[in-house]
Amino acid sequence: TTIETRDKQLIAMEVVRSQKKPSSSLSSSDVVSSIPLYRSPPTLEVRLEDFERFAVDRLLVLRGISDGLARGKKPDEMEKLVSDLWKANMRHPQASEVINKDIISHFVLRLVYCRTEELRKWFLSMETTLFRYRFRLENSDVHRALMTELGIPYKVVTNAEFEGLKDKLTQVARSVSQPLPTSDGTYYKVPFEEVPELVASRRVFIQKGYAYVALNQVVSFVIPHFRSHLSKALVLTNRKWTSMIREQEKDRLTPIVEALSTSYLGPDYSQAKELGEMSLKDIDQAARTSFPLCMRHLFDTVREDHHLKHGGRMQLGLFLKGAGLKLDDALAFWKAEFSQKVGAERFDKEYAYGIRHNYGKEGKRTDYTPYSCQKIILSTPGVGDHHGCPYRHFSEDNLRAALGKMGVSSRALDEVIDKAKTKHYQLACTLTYEAVHGSSCDAGINHPNQYFSDSQKSLEAK
């Protein structure tokens, strides 16, 4: 992918030359698929604001898929989830631009996620899952068009051949609980090495080197081709990014690209718009009932030790601001605690400025935003620090103890620990919320202030 500067803040994305489809199958080449293979998008001029907005919309889809997979949703549930996520986020006011938005957003995120092995692995997995379920929703004409474009050597099984193999195909279908073959159904035959997944699990009939694949199994040999191409393309994109694009676009695109992989995409919690103010007399009760574990730990620590290092003060202080604690009350809260350790005079000299600064009353007068889950998870607390994400940074024993203190039942606790071990930290927090409140949180927890806000609403409703 090359990205060049154009006038009027336009970005030209010249991705790959236009694809020349094989002319051997007229019926396939006449069908226009709504699913691009991201091999050959045209040269497009993209407005700077669309460059980021389209990528954010697609990222919402991919993160939704990641959450669905982490929750262990079944294939039918995932199919509906992918369809709903796509409809909600990938529309465009102009119908003709939907396909362009699809292509542009993919290639922007390819730039974003090509930069490390971990990012490439996540993007490859999520894009492959997205393609799998979009493919499943298409008809057989589109399937054939995509197989032709991918260069997969398939043949449609003729009626005469089908009748001769019907008994064998029925035996295989019964053994794997697949729908029984009928004369009006579609079967393809492909070289058996094209479907290793089906061969390994004995879900396909093989004869004379060919695997006979039912229509509902076609995705099994299309996905490896898609995944293989994307995997290689990500490595190539990374080379171009590090050798050329990052430096060329350091003043404009590079900051956007580097921020997107860790960006928070939810509501702004810099001001407590919905809940109003939190008073000092309510703060302990709110901490017990509505603080997420990361903030509950910081709050309990400052109450017990009367001190927090800078990272902890920032994480908890901005959270309290977003939860509705006004500046005067924030100064009173921190002074009451820190004075017990360092004295009132030292607090006024060394710490009060930082609190006022967070509220936009000092320095550049920036109104700082509370930290999102993503930012907290990626933090690196050192010795003596208490900030960060407990689901990532606590030992298992400490996490169990902290969750028990919050009132998480032993049954739910094991599930939370399991999600934390498999690095699904936000899902672990979501399961904690559900266990503590006895209600579901389908959207998932993406921000500590979202946890607080949803908790307060839940308690009010009860």
Side-chain angles (χ1 to χ4, degrees), residues 129-418:
T129 303
L130 173 61
F131 181 83
R132 176 187 293 274
Y133 287 103
R134 289 180 72 194
F135 184 88
R136 280 173 55 151
L137 293 167
E138 293 289 355
N139 60 41
S140 57
D141 289 337
V142 171
H143 290 173
R144 283 194 286 270
L146 287 169
M147 286 190 285
T148 299
E149 192 172 343
L150 284 165
I152 296 172
Y154 76 92
K155 295 177 183 176
V156 179
V157 175
T158 63
N159 285 338
E161 193 174 5
F162 172 79
E163 289 301 327
L165 296 170
K166 187 175 179 181
D167 290 344
K168 305 267 188 174
L169 296 174
T170 300
Q171 284 178 15
V172 173
R174 280 204 177 108
S175 71
V176 293
S177 303
Q178 290 280 352
L180 298 182
T182 59
S183 56
D184 58 350
T186 303
Y187 266 80
Y188 301 100
K189 67 177 185 179
V190 296
F192 77 92
E193 60 268 23
E194 291 284 342
V195 286
E197 180 185 325
L198 295 178
V199 173
S201 56
R202 302 189 177 192
R203 287 184 290 142
V204 68
F205 174 66
I206 299 174
Q207 180 173 279
K208 295 181 180 178
Y210 282 96
Y212 288 77
V213 183
L215 181 64
N216 62 356
Q217 296 175 310
V218 167
V219 70
S220 295
F221 61 87
V222 173
I223 287 297
H225 283 264
F226 176 84
R227 186 184 181 93
S228 174
H229 167 75
L230 181 55
S231 179
K232 291 171 186 172
L234 282 167
V235 173
L236 292 173
T237 306
N238 177 50
R239 287 177 192 163
K240 290 185 179 179
W241 169 257
T242 52
S243 66
M244 180 175 61
I245 303 170
R246 181 172 57 192
E247 182 60 26
Q248 284 180 351
E249 292 290 340
K250 65 181 180 181
D251 297 325
R252 193 170 55 146
L253 290 188
T254 298
I256 295 173
V257 167
E258 291 182 341
L260 269 171
S261 64
T262 58
S263 59
Y264 166 67
L265 307 176
D268 176 17
Y269 290 102
S270 57
Q271 301 293 333
K273 300 179 182 71
E274 296 179 354
L275 300 170
E277 296 182 13
M278 177 199 287
S279 67
L280 276 179
K281 65 180 176 63
D282 297 328
I283 197 169
D284 286 279
Q285 175 66 16
R288 281 193 298 273
T289 60
S290 297
F291 280 20
L293 181 55
C294 57
M295 300 304 171
R296 174 81 175 267
H297 173 64
L298 287 168
F299 184 83
D300 289 347
T301 299
V302 80
R303 282 293 201 215
E304 291 167 13
D305 297 348
H306 313 298
H307 191 268
L308 279 176
K309 288 189 174 182
H310 177 73
R313 295 197 302 274
M314 288 293 290
Q315 185 172 309
L316 178 60
L318 290 172
F319 167 79
L320 292 174
K321 174 192 164 193
L325 192 67
K326 296 301 176 188
L327 174 58
D328 289 345
D329 283 343
L331 285 165
F333 167 74
W334 290 103
K335 186 170 185 175
E337 294 303 328
F338 273 52
S339 294
Q340 297 179 55
K341 191 93 169 211
V342 302
E345 186 177 347
R346 187 176 163 196
F347 173 84
D348 289 338
K349 280 184 180 178
E350 296 182 19
Y351 298 101
Y353 177 91
I355 296 162
R356 291 195 299 272
H357 192 265
N358 283 350
Y359 280 77
K361 304 301 180 186
E362 299 284 2
K364 296 179 182 177
R365 310 280 169 174
T366 302
D367 192 15
Y368 288 91
T369 301
Y371 292 172
S372 67
C373 289
Q374 196 76 13
K375 185 177 179 72
I376 292 169
I377 288 167
L378 292 172
S379 64
T380 51
V383 177
D385 283 323
H386 292 276
H387 64 283
C389 173
Y391 302 100
R392 181 182 182 189
H393 298 118
F394 276 19
S395 68
E396 183 178 333
D397 288 344
N398 286 347
L399 183 56
R400 283 185 180 276
L403 291 167
K405 190 176 176 182
M406 285 185 79
V408 178
S409 68
S410 57
R411 184 177 174 184
L413 199 149
D414 287 337
E415 195 176 358
V416 172
I417 295 290
D418 181 60

